[in-house]
Amino acid sequence: MDSLTTPPPEDFVEAAVRTVLTAADDVVDVEIGRAALLVFCVGAADQGDRLVRYWQRTTGGSASRLVSHPVAARAWAMLLSGRNAPDWAGDLTPLDLAAEENAHRAHLARLREKRGVDAVLAELVERAWALADAGELDAARAAIDS
């Protein structure tokens, strides 16, 4: 399967169910975390809350066990920052905006060192970011559209 095709939803669900039924606890935690994050990302926060609460009742686990890597931690923090955080999310690490900005700027700097599309896109993002920081939102939008 090439990287542009996606498996049918039933393949994802079947694989997730197989993992939950057969894997070690730490692998199950990550699978539940991925599924809940996906549910939140598609706008079904109530169902995501229900999934996490059911997992917590079943395992007695802390929500931090659902976060497998820094990208997932950032995704959870961003998703939950836009709403009143549910009771189950209390032990998730809050998003450190300054650290995230520094990490993103470092990532853009690495991309600008390369040649090609990545470097061009990184430059557009940096230009738009600088304009937005200066309060020139229309110019920032135009920089991205160029």
Side-chain angles (χ1 to χ4, degrees), residues 20 22-31 55 59 65:
V20 168
T22 62
D25 289 346
D26 59 333
V27 176
V28 170
D29 297 344
V30 170
E31 188 66 36
W55 171 84
T59 66
R65 288 178 27 195

Side-chain angles (χ1 to χ4, degrees), residues 4-64:
L4 297 177
T5 60
T6 56
E10 59 272 8
D11 289 351
F12 170 80
V13 172
E14 183 177 319
V17 169
R18 185 174 39 255
T19 298
V20 168
L21 293 176
T22 62
D25 289 346
D26 59 333
V27 176
V28 170
D29 297 344
V30 170
E31 188 66 36
I32 294 297
R34 287 179 47 213
L37 189 57
L38 178 62
V39 170
F40 270 87
C41 285
V42 298
D46 290 343
Q47 289 79 5
D49 285 337
R50 192 170 76 226
L51 173 60
V52 173
R53 284 188 182 107
Y54 183 79
W55 171 84
Q56 279 187 320
R57 278 193 313 274
T58 303
T59 66
S62 156
S64 62

Side-chain angles (χ1 to χ4, degrees), residues 55-143:
W55 171 84
Q56 279 187 320
R57 278 193 313 274
T58 303
T59 66
S62 156
S64 62
R65 288 178 27 195
L66 300 176
V67 180
S68 58
H69 50 78
V71 173
R74 287 192 297 273
W76 276 115
M78 289 171 27
L79 284 166
L80 295 173
S81 70
R83 64 188 287 239
N84 290 329
D87 56 337
W88 59 262
D91 61 339
L92 292 178
T93 305
L95 191 62
D96 180 342
L97 294 177
E100 292 302 321
E101 182 176 342
N102 290 338
H104 190 67
R105 286 191 187 273
H107 174 69
L108 291 173
R110 287 189 301 276
L111 289 178
R112 282 196 320 275
E113 293 173 359
K114 298 179 179 183
R115 293 194 184 281
V117 174
D118 287 343
V120 172
L121 291 174
E123 185 61 38
L124 286 172
V125 170
E126 280 288 347
R127 188 176 329 135
W129 198 337
L131 290 165
D133 281 347
E136 300 177 34
L137 298 182
D138 289 336
R141 287 184 192 98

